[in-house]
Amino acid sequence: MAAGSTYEAIATQTLASTANSITFSSIPGTYTDLVIVAIGQGYTSPSYGNLQIQFNGDSGTNYSSTEFRENGGTVGTNRRSTQSNLFVSSFLDWGTANQNVGHSIINIFNYANTTTYKSTISRGNIPPYRTELNTGLWRSTAAITSINVSVNDTPINIGSIFTLYGIKAA
Amino acid sequence: MATAWTAIASTTVGSGGAATVTFSSIPQTYKNLIIKVSARNARTDVVAELRWTVNGNSTSYSNRLIQGNGSTVSGGTTATTLFYSGEINASTSTASIFGSADIYIPDYTGGNYKNVSADTVSENNAASAYATLTNGLWSNTAAITSIAFYYGGLNWEQYSTFTLFGTNNS
C-alpha cells in the first residue's frame, strides 16, 4: 500500500524587508499537528527578545507558558500566565549586518479540533545566549486557522525565514 | 503540497565499528537537514559526547547546553572545535542500550552562520543517564556539504545508525 505524505510544507515566508510580524492565514484543517520553524534574527542591538504568537487574531489574555532555559551557564524556569500572546521562545536580536542567526521550532498539537484547548512545545536556540525548551497553552477550543508571529521588542530582520509545516496521521 | 521530508542517506555501522561516520556530497537542493542518530561508542565510560564537524572544518564553533542527569541540572558552553550534541551511551552502560539524538540544521545552504540544535538522551536504567538540549553555532557562511561524526578515534559500535534527511519549504 502506498503511503501518503505525512509531513508537508504548507507555506513559507522569507522576509524581503524588515517586518513587525508575519501571518500564516487560511491554514487548512486537514492535518493533525503543525510545526513552525523560524530562522533569523530581530533588527535591534545584540541581545534577544521574545518570539510570540497569537492564534486566530485573539488578543485576549488567554495564553500561558512555561520556560525552561540555560542562559550564561545558569539554568532556570519562568512562568507567564494570563498573557495576551503566547511566548514560544526567545529570538535573537542582532541588527543589520551580522550573519549570526538563531532558530526556533514550534510544535502545535491537535490544532484543528474544536473540543480542547491548544498546547505547544517549542525549542529556542539563541546563539550565543540561550538554549530553551518551552511549553505553551491557548485557552480556546477554536480550531486554529491563522497564526501571527512577532518579536516583542523589535521588527524581524530581512532574510528571516518562517515555514509552516503540517503533519498528517498515517 | 510537496513532501517535506526526504531520506538522503543512512549509515548502519558494521562489525568491528567505525571511528567516523561521514555524510559527504550532501545535495544542496533542500532547505534544512535533520539527522536521526541511534548510537553507542566504544569509550570506556557510561557515556560519550556526540561530536561532529562540518566540511572538515575544526574552527569557529560554539555550543550552549542544558543538561539533566537525574539529580542535577546544568548549563553552559563547550568546545570551539566541533559541534557538541549531548551524551550518548558508551561501552560501560547497560548492554544493548544506544543513545538517541535528533539534530536539526536549518538553512544549511544559506549565507548566514549556521545554527544547529539537538535533543539527545542516554537512558541507562541506572545512574549516569543524561538528557541534553544543545544549540550550536558555526561562525562560517559556507554551505554545509559534508558532516562527520566522531569521538576521538574511538569507534561507534556495531548497529549504530545515522540517518540524514532533507526538508523543503515548499
Side-chain angles (χ1 to χ4, degrees), chain B residues 127-143:
Chain B
S128 298
Y130 292 85
T132 310
L133 309 178
T134 60
N135 142 42
L137 184 72
W138 184 45
S139 297
N140 192 311
T141 60

Side-chain angles (χ1 to χ4, degrees), chain B residues 4 30 62 83:
Chain B
Y30 301 95
S62 61
F83 280 130

